[in-house]
Amino acid sequence: MSKSKYKIIAESSNNLRIELIESINQEDSIQIIELSRELELVFGVNASFNPKNINKYFNKNTFPFITRLEEKIIGFIIGVPLENFSNESWSHYDTNLGKNNTIYTYTYLIKEFYRKKGGYSKTLKMIYINWCKKQGYKYVTGHVKKGISKKFPSQIEVIKIFPNWYNCGYPFEYYRRKL
């Protein structure tokens, strides 16, 4: 079995490791697909990854970071240059489209058991944000449930509110954060 191809971005003494994935193997794909099922609770069954779509998001053209604790994947965050979404109508609300200065956060998930424990969520997000800055990105954007961005630690601009984001039944806001 081939191993996932990755670059270690950070390691800690408590067996926590953040990796930037270039290509993903079957074993890691299975773990991520299983973990992504937690997304279905909010976004519906089409939100989780599957064997047919996982390579669309975990490849060398995207920026997927995974969090491993004792070799088990407990979370991930996927950054994608905003320009990759130029065919999506929502992206045209962003005045930075075409400037190559914005990273869109496609998915951010920590396994429910590990949320609010050990700082895993904050660690992953901090490492992701710092990596984006080092790559020259000026902004990070994403979609979150309406009101969530008010809890973010830095100044956020809500660009557009979508009343029923992809028929999930909730209003979502498209936000921008300066890095």
Side-chain angles (χ1 to χ4, degrees):
M1 176 185 288
S2 65
K3 294 180 82 172
S4 291
K5 189 174 180 184
Y6 59 87
K7 180 179 178 184
I8 296 174
I9 303 298
E11 285 185 282
S12 70
S13 59
N14 65 347
N15 294 318
L16 181 74
R17 187 169 71 219
I18 310 290
E19 302 168 357
L20 175 58
I21 300 295
E22 293 176 11
S23 65
I24 194 160
N25 71 2
Q26 185 176 1
E27 182 181 335
D28 287 347
S29 292
I30 291 168
Q31 287 186 61
I32 289 168
I33 289 167
E34 180 64 32
L35 177 57
S36 76
R37 290 196 177 111
E38 292 187 14
L39 296 168
E40 294 177 7
L41 299 172
V42 176
F43 302 106
V45 294
N46 294 329
S48 60
F49 295 113
N50 61 59
K52 292 181 182 178
N53 72 8
I54 193 163
N55 289 320
K56 180 179 177 181
Y57 302 102
F58 286 82
N59 63 64
K60 63 181 179 180
N61 298 315
T62 61
F63 307 117
F65 291 79
I66 63 170
T67 302
R68 286 188 201 267
L69 182 61
E70 298 175 358
E71 298 303 317
K72 182 179 179 188
I73 297 173
I74 65 165
F76 58 87
I77 190 167
I78 304 170
V80 182
L82 180 62
E83 286 68 27
N84 289 21
F85 295 100
S86 63
N87 291 332
E88 300 287 336
S89 60
W90 59 261
S91 70
H92 295 270
Y93 292 100
D94 196 321
T95 56
N96 285 333
L97 182 62
K99 295 180 181 178
N100 297 304
N101 65 359
T102 302
I103 191 85
Y104 177 78
T105 304
Y106 181 77
T107 305
Y108 173 38
L109 178 65
I110 295 289
K111 188 172 183 63
E112 186 175 23
F113 179 82
Y114 295 100
R115 291 180 208 154
K116 299 183 182 182
K117 293 180 184 177
Y120 302 118
S121 296
K122 287 181 183 180
T123 300
L124 176 58
K125 187 72 169 205
M126 179 187 68
I127 288 169
Y128 169 71
I129 293 295
N130 287 333
W131 183 89
C132 290
K133 284 182 193 179
K134 288 178 183 175
Q135 302 310 304
Y137 288 100
K138 305 291 182 213
Y139 302 93
V140 66
T141 63
H143 287 89
V144 293
K145 275 187 177 179
K146 186 177 178 187
I148 296 290
S149 68
K150 290 178 186 175
K151 299 175 184 177
F152 291 174
S154 60
Q155 197 171 30
I156 300 295
E157 175 187 1
V158 175
I159 297 171
K160 172 101 173 128
I161 296 175
F162 297 88
N164 187 13
W165 181 246
Y166 284 93
N167 298 315
C168 72
Y170 301 101
F172 270 62
E173 52 197 24
Y174 177 59
Y175 71 89
R176 179 187 304 134
R177 173 183 175 185
K178 187 172 182 161
L179 297 178

